[in-house]
Amino acid sequence: MKDLAEDILKKEILAYGIELGFSIIKITSAEILEVWRQGVELRNKQDPESSWRWEKMTADPKELLPDARSIIAAVWSYTPYPKDFPEGIGRYSAHYREYPKARENIKKLGKFLEERGYEAIVDPPLPAKAIAHRAGIGYFGKNGLIHTKSGGSWITLHCILTNAPLPQDESVDKLSDCGACRACIQACPTGAIQGDGLVLPSRCIRNYMLSSDFIPVDIRDKIGLRLLGCDICQQVCPKNREALKKASLPPKEEMDVFNVSNILREWKTGLKDRMERMAALIGKNYGRAQKILSMAVIIAGNTKDSAYIPLLAETLNHVHPPIRGHSAWALGKIGGDRSVEILRKALAKEKDPRVIEEIEQALSCLE
């Protein structure tokens, strides 16, 4: 009877999860995630400056819920956006558009469990990709992402840690099914994906996007026209070919929220209205004025379009030093006599040593 009740509960969870929009739902145990723990040890040796990224996570689910019995792994599949966006629009990945939707629905699935008398921790600080792999959802790619047979890696992953006893699904037969393919390794513009498939966060473009700090110059160059998300390694992955055939742009009114000129033009107003609309699309954690402005400045520089010079002359006066520094860099990228004039005037009054360095570097490339 006990096994039957557990089977029935699992079927109810799967049925409700599919109704909510998840494409795959599987169950794994609440045992220690050894694959992730070993991976962190290796990453910390090869990329020690990124070790802080793992400090809030744990490999042991029972540190979070002592009587944990199961982990529910859920996949939210989505249609990717194409590589190129219209001129003047900062490109953003469909992942960030879809994640808030999935997040709200995984909460509903957690509530479903709680209503049946079980504890449920939604999206706990556990490694979702390691959980998905152990639950049999898919394999790791050499870019560190999980890919499924149906949706490739165009997915967001979500978990629920619970004390509900649920029948477990079998894991996949190996860690990766990439074989000799090196497409993502060769395509990564910063060399973040190592030959053995290890991804170095300190070299990954995505990990610098929406930063509050100065972004390294070589990373700024590689950001190109991307405002949030990279997608390069996913776009070249053979596992993603079928899904890419369906790629389509977001609605025009939505893309207009990410208009680079308007972001630069409106910063003195605090960008409140634009950030509210942006937060409604990609979540409050990403819709933050200062960080979005910083990315817009970098994108403007990478266009090398002189039409941005008057706007960058204004952001060069921003109170936040990284935005002033990025503005100086962007003017240096665009070039021209007007940029030189603006940079010289800014240098005469600048007090921050990091910004002074950025201005001097920009001038040295132009004079």
Side-chain angles (χ1 to χ4, degrees):
M1 291 296 292
K2 182 180 178 181
D3 289 345
L4 179 60
E6 293 173 2
D7 285 339
I8 291 173
L9 178 59
K10 180 178 178 179
K11 288 179 181 178
E12 290 177 341
I13 290 169
L14 267 58
Y16 185 47
I18 298 301
E19 181 183 328
L20 289 170
F22 293 100
S23 56
I24 304 172
I25 297 177
K26 294 196 177 238
I27 314 292
T28 188
S29 73
E31 299 305 311
I32 292 175
L33 293 143
E34 190 62 27
V35 167
W36 182 80
R37 189 189 64 78
Q38 293 176 1
V40 167
E41 289 182 356
L42 183 59
R43 280 192 292 267
N44 287 346
K45 288 179 182 178
Q46 296 198 21
D47 196 19
E49 64 184 277
S50 299
S51 60
W52 61 272
R53 298 179 184 277
W54 328 116
E55 291 175 355
K56 293 183 179 179
M57 297 183 69
T58 177
D60 186 0
K62 293 184 180 180
E63 287 184 7
L64 306 172
L65 185 63
D67 63 340
R69 299 283 296 277
S70 313
I71 306 175
I72 301 168
V75 173
W76 185 272
S77 300
Y78 61 86
T79 301
Y81 296 151
K83 178 182 176 181
D84 297 319
F85 269 41
E87 185 177 350
I89 304 298
R91 188 189 186 281
Y92 56 103
S93 171
H95 176 97
Y96 301 96
R97 182 68 177 90
E98 293 296 319
Y99 188 91
K101 300 178 190 176
R103 174 72 172 163
E104 289 306 307
N105 283 303
I106 198 66
K107 289 178 183 178
K108 293 177 183 177
L109 193 57
K111 185 71 173 175
F112 177 89
L113 275 168
E114 291 174 344
E115 289 173 348
R116 282 150 182 77
Y118 297 105
E119 291 186 71
I121 303 177
V122 174
D123 281 343
L126 294 169
K129 288 179 284 189
I131 290 169
H133 175 265
R134 193 168 75 184
I137 282 173
Y139 296 98
F140 278 100
K142 289 182 179 176
N143 59 0
L145 301 178
I146 291 289
H147 54 260
T148 67
K149 287 184 178 179
S150 57
S153 61
W154 304 112
I155 58 176
T156 71
L157 295 172
H158 303 269
C159 304
I160 300 174
L161 178 63
T162 179
N163 58 356
L166 299 168
Q168 298 169 20
D169 292 294
E170 291 185 8
S171 183
V172 291
D173 56 349
K174 52 192 172 184
L175 196 63
S176 176
D177 64 345
C178 293
C181 179
R182 292 173 56 86
C184 62
I185 295 172
Q186 294 168 346
C188 181
T190 61
I193 307 173
Q194 301 296 286
D196 56 2
L198 183 73
V199 178
L200 305 181
S202 66
R203 297 298 305 157
C204 181
I205 289 175
R206 169 61 193 94
N207 286 314
Y208 289 95
M209 288 178 166
L210 300 187
S211 169
S212 295
D213 204 350
F214 287 87
I215 296 175
V217 172
D218 62 328
I219 298 292
R220 294 176 214 169
D221 287 328
K222 302 299 190 297
I223 283 173
L225 308 182
R226 302 177 187 87
L227 191 145
L228 178 60
C230 177
D231 287 351
I232 292 173
C233 63
Q234 297 192 80
Q235 288 162 346
V236 301
C237 178
K239 310 290 185 183
N240 287 334
R241 282 175 184 160
E242 288 305 311
L244 272 173
K245 292 177 182 178
K246 302 175 184 178
S248 60
L249 287 168
K252 182 181 182 301
E253 61 272 17
E254 180 178 311
M255 289 190 291
D256 284 345
V257 179
F258 299 84
N259 183 289
V260 174
S261 292
N262 289 340
I263 291 170
L264 295 176
R265 190 174 291 111
E266 295 170 13
W267 73 268
K268 287 186 177 180
T269 68
L271 291 167
K272 184 178 179 181
D273 178 62
R274 189 169 294 274
M275 289 306 102
E276 286 179 354
R277 287 184 288 154
M278 194 175 290
L281 295 171
I282 60 176
K284 293 181 180 179
N285 286 341
Y286 299 114
R288 298 182 183 274
Q290 192 166 280
K291 295 180 178 182
I292 292 292
L293 178 61
S294 188
M295 293 305 301
V297 166
I298 291 172
I299 291 171
N302 282 327
T303 67
K304 297 184 180 180
D305 185 346
S306 60
Y308 286 112
I309 291 177
L311 299 174
L312 293 170
E314 293 296 321
T315 57
L316 194 54
N317 296 311
H318 197 280
V319 67
H320 190 52
I323 291 178
R324 299 202 302 277
H326 293 162
S327 298
W329 170 86
L331 287 165
K333 288 276 287 187
I334 295 172
D337 293 342
R338 179 63 178 141
S339 290
V340 171
E341 179 185 352
I342 292 167
L343 288 167
R344 283 176 178 168
K345 288 182 178 179
L347 183 61
K349 63 180 182 179
E350 182 58 59
K351 303 297 182 184
D352 187 283
R354 288 287 301 275
V355 180
I356 290 173
E357 183 180 345
E358 292 274 1
I359 296 173
E360 290 178 338
Q361 181 61 38
L363 283 169
S364 70
C365 296
L366 297 177
E367 295 179 323

